[in-house]
Amino acid sequence: MEYNRHMDFFQHQAKAKSRTFLLVILYCLGLLGLTAVIVAVTLLACLFANVEPNPEIMFICIGSILGIVITGTLCKTAQISTNGGRGVAESLGGRQVAASTDNLAERQLHNVVEEMALAAGVPVPTLYILDKERSINAFAAGFSPNAAVIGVNRGTVDLLSRDELQGVIAHEFSHILNGDMRMNMRLIGILFGLQQITLHGYYCLRFARFIAPGGVINLPIAFAAATLGLVLISIGYIGVFFSAVIQAGISRQREYLADASAVQFTRNPGGIIGALKKIGAPNIGSNVHHPRAAEATHLFFGNTCGLFSLGELLATHPDLTTRIKRIDARFDGRFPHIVDTRPKPKVYVHKSKTANFLKHQPLQQPTTASKQSVMEHIGELNIANVLTARALLDAIPQDISFASDNPLTAQAVFFALLLDADEEVRNRQYNQIQFAGSEFLMKESRRLYPQMRLLSECERIPLAQSVLATLREMTAPQYRKFSRVLELLISADPGTNLFEYTIKAMLHRDLDIHFGLAKQLCVRHTALSSVRLPVVAVLSYLAYAGRADQANSRGAYVSAMRELGLSGEMLLPTEVTAHRFDKSLRVLSETSPALKRRIFMACMTCVSHDGQITLREAGLIRAIAAMLAIPIPMLA
């Protein structure tokens, strides 16, 4: 099975948005089905009672039932929009995994996710473990790659080898990068609404059971409640049926694509095949027993329940045998028997695992910083970049690595990243950390600075991305205080250098949204004409960057504008300020996926006009990608 390489990151994002229209159509069909059942039940009741159907009563019944469904959908959608992927994970009984965890299995999970996130150019997803679920399963939830959550069952970390775990996580990263998560999140609200009538029926039955033992007086009430409950369940099951059809129709094909992507990402078919085979073991499975698992079953790696599904009509996931045969046609359909003794996990050692993993595929060359390679690999994972990310993380000094795992000392790591090489400026920054932060953070920053100076800028960027994941464990007030200190450090010296701006861009796209200080990116501009001035400002800034010759700058600018089919004079050097560049990028971050692709392509044309991309230009590209929420590969 081949992964569709003809569709890039931006096309996947656009297609995912277009599937929202399909959801609306299916939802309306579900409402029509409910209406038809209500009419049929009302007519049968009138026929049984030998009375004429009353149109007013019929309309009241229809309005009440549809009102419950639509209200349930709107309320659940609002709740999901507010709480995002974290809300989904916690509603399923998930526990957030701290970066400082000393559980070896959880540490291995954290390492695998961190490496893949850095290689793909996305923020490290927040991790959750469903401790009560001993089976093997996983899910990705969130409205964008910048706010993604990955959750796994306890059995996933306990029973899978590192290669198998990597295959499962690569599957989930496919959902993150292909834009599936946003649609899946919206689907939860729709399914919840369609299931509301059945849920109300169950509530009536529980009420009847509760009051029935209260005596003869309560028996008529209990009987009426039970009767109403059975009627509601009978009517509501058409909604349950439609919700199952919607789940199955949308989820099943996406699972095939994610399986194929996992193989492409890891170049190790044995990883995901091994995980699927262990799920097929008779005493393991992928069931999730939490009461709310049914509304989120389409999010998971494997089927969450073993209910009868009318063949493939209502199955949210393809048959395990079919999934495995699509990757390995020689599979004979026999699953292993696993003795679930849950032994203590082995210590994870980078070098030995890396050596074992590389046996599966010859090592590819890392992605080079050229226009073509960057554009081709946006939103993709490959094993070369995963190994590069692992090497960069391994190169971080031990003191800094340990400090990065705790949300308090991780703040000091971030401050140390921004300390100036000039001693006078650095002393001012120490005073600001002590005054606006704390003496402890000042001393930690001072202690870590000498080791931080040993790291190159290409090593500091993945370190910053790694630390961002730990900083999500702060409270909102702690983050606001941290942000104030950060602003003081950046303003301690005149101007904002490129590295500082990139760090600010990463914070804006990740932690500001996480802590509710900024809204999720949304599409406000679909036409190039509506963002022409911000485009001119950004391309002018890029054209001047790293070029002393103004003629070369103009040539780069003209080439980039021609890429977009535009013309017009570039801004004067005095008009091109960092503030204007930042303001323009924030406008461009709200463009549609197709338009964002064109703009980013023009930016790449601008910086590669002279046939090479300098370190400064590569830094600018990374900063632009951070602001536009574009997952670019690691630039070698």
Side-chain angles (χ1 to χ4, degrees), residues 32-89:
L32 286 174
L34 276 174
T35 303
V37 170
I38 296 167
V39 171
V41 170
T42 305
L43 291 176
L44 286 174
C46 291
L47 182 63
F48 182 78
N50 199 24
V51 296
E52 287 292 323
N54 188 322
E56 293 182 2
I57 294 177
M58 188 175 294
F59 281 125
I60 291 174
C61 291
I62 293 173
S64 300
I65 296 294
L66 296 185
I68 292 173
V69 173
I70 294 172
T71 301
T73 297
L74 294 176
C75 291
K76 189 66 173 182
T77 300
Q79 181 188 28
I80 292 293
S81 299
T82 302
N83 299 327
R86 288 179 297 163
V88 173

Side-chain angles (χ1 to χ4, degrees), residues 344-364:
K344 183 178 179 181
K346 296 180 180 179
V347 177
Y348 164 53
V349 181
H350 277 298
K351 291 183 179 178
S352 64
K353 293 295 183 180
T354 301
N356 178 59
F357 182 68
L358 288 177
K359 291 177 183 177
H360 297 287
Q361 184 74 13
L363 180 61
Q364 303 172 11

Side-chain angles (χ1 to χ4, degrees), residues 269-566:
I272 192 168
I273 288 175
L276 291 171
K277 286 182 178 180
K278 285 184 177 178
I279 288 176
N283 57 328
I284 302 299
S286 58
N287 287 2
V288 178
H289 298 99
H290 194 279
R292 306 187 80 167
E295 66 189 43
T297 187
H298 58 285
L299 267 64
F300 281 86
F301 174 74
N303 196 10
T304 61
C305 60
L307 297 179
F308 179 63
S309 58
L310 299 180
E312 286 201 357
L313 178 61
L314 304 184
T316 55
H317 293 71
D319 175 68
L320 282 176
T321 302
T322 304
R323 289 176 72 177
I324 296 173
K325 282 187 174 181
R326 282 209 170 196
I327 304 171
D328 180 9
R330 297 171 299 175
F331 178 57
D332 59 7
R334 291 184 294 182
F335 294 95
H337 180 78
I338 299 174
V339 180
D340 185 7
T341 57
R342 302 291 165 112
K344 183 178 179 181
K346 296 180 180 179
V347 177
Y348 164 53
V349 181
H350 277 298
K351 291 183 179 178
S352 64
K353 293 295 183 180
T354 301
N356 178 59
F357 182 68
L358 288 177
K359 291 177 183 177
H360 297 287
Q361 184 74 13
L363 180 61
Q364 303 172 11
Q365 291 299 315
T367 302
T368 54
S370 68
K371 172 184 172 182
Q372 181 179 358
S373 65
V374 171
M375 294 305 299
E376 283 181 354
H377 295 287
I378 285 176
E380 285 189 7
L381 269 170
N382 65 61
I383 188 56
N385 281 353
V386 171
L387 295 175
T388 302
R390 185 181 303 172
L392 287 172
L393 292 172
D394 285 345
I396 296 171
Q398 195 172 58
D399 282 355
I400 294 177
S401 182
F402 284 157
S404 300
D405 289 341
N406 182 285
L408 178 60
T409 52
Q411 296 179 54
V413 173
F414 223 82
F415 295 153
L417 277 168
L418 297 171
L419 290 174
D420 202 274
D422 183 273
E423 186 176 3
E424 183 180 346
V425 175
R426 191 164 67 252
N427 286 332
R428 287 203 304 270
Q429 291 175 319
Y430 286 140
N431 291 334
Q432 289 164 337
I433 295 173
Q434 183 174 4
F435 173 75
S438 69
E439 185 175 359
F440 171 77
L441 288 175
M442 184 273 290
K443 290 181 177 178
E444 275 293 290
S445 302
R446 188 186 293 272
R447 181 180 71 85
L448 296 172
Y449 174 72
Q451 296 184 64
M452 193 69 73
R453 287 279 294 167
L454 301 176
L455 299 179
S456 66
E457 187 169 304
C458 70
E459 291 171 316
R460 292 186 185 194
I461 291 294
L463 172 60
Q465 288 180 267
S466 176
V467 174
L468 286 177
T470 306
L471 293 178
R472 292 197 204 112
E473 299 174 32
M474 293 189 294
T475 63
Q478 287 173 333
Y479 176 66
R480 285 193 288 269
K481 184 177 181 180
F482 166 78
S483 297
R484 286 195 296 270
V485 178
L486 211 64
E487 288 293 340
L488 290 172
L489 294 185
I490 291 175
S491 61
D493 59 331
T496 300
N497 64 42
L498 184 57
F499 177 75
E500 291 172 339
Y501 180 77
T502 304
I503 294 297
K504 286 183 64 176
M506 291 165 61
L507 280 174
H508 174 73
R509 74 167 188 182
D510 187 355
L511 295 189
D512 280 5
I513 293 175
H514 179 81
F515 287 105
L517 301 182
K519 294 182 179 179
Q520 284 282 355
L521 296 181
C522 60
V523 176
R524 300 183 187 276
H525 307 285
T526 57
L528 185 60
S529 57
S530 65
V531 292
R532 188 180 186 281
L533 292 179
V535 166
V536 169
V538 168
L539 293 181
S540 298
Y541 190 96
L542 283 175
Y544 287 121
R547 294 185 178 88
D549 188 344
Q550 192 164 344
N552 287 338
S553 297
R554 177 169 177 76
Y557 172 81
V558 171
S559 296
M561 291 289 280
R562 189 181 299 122
E563 177 85 41
L564 292 169
L566 296 176

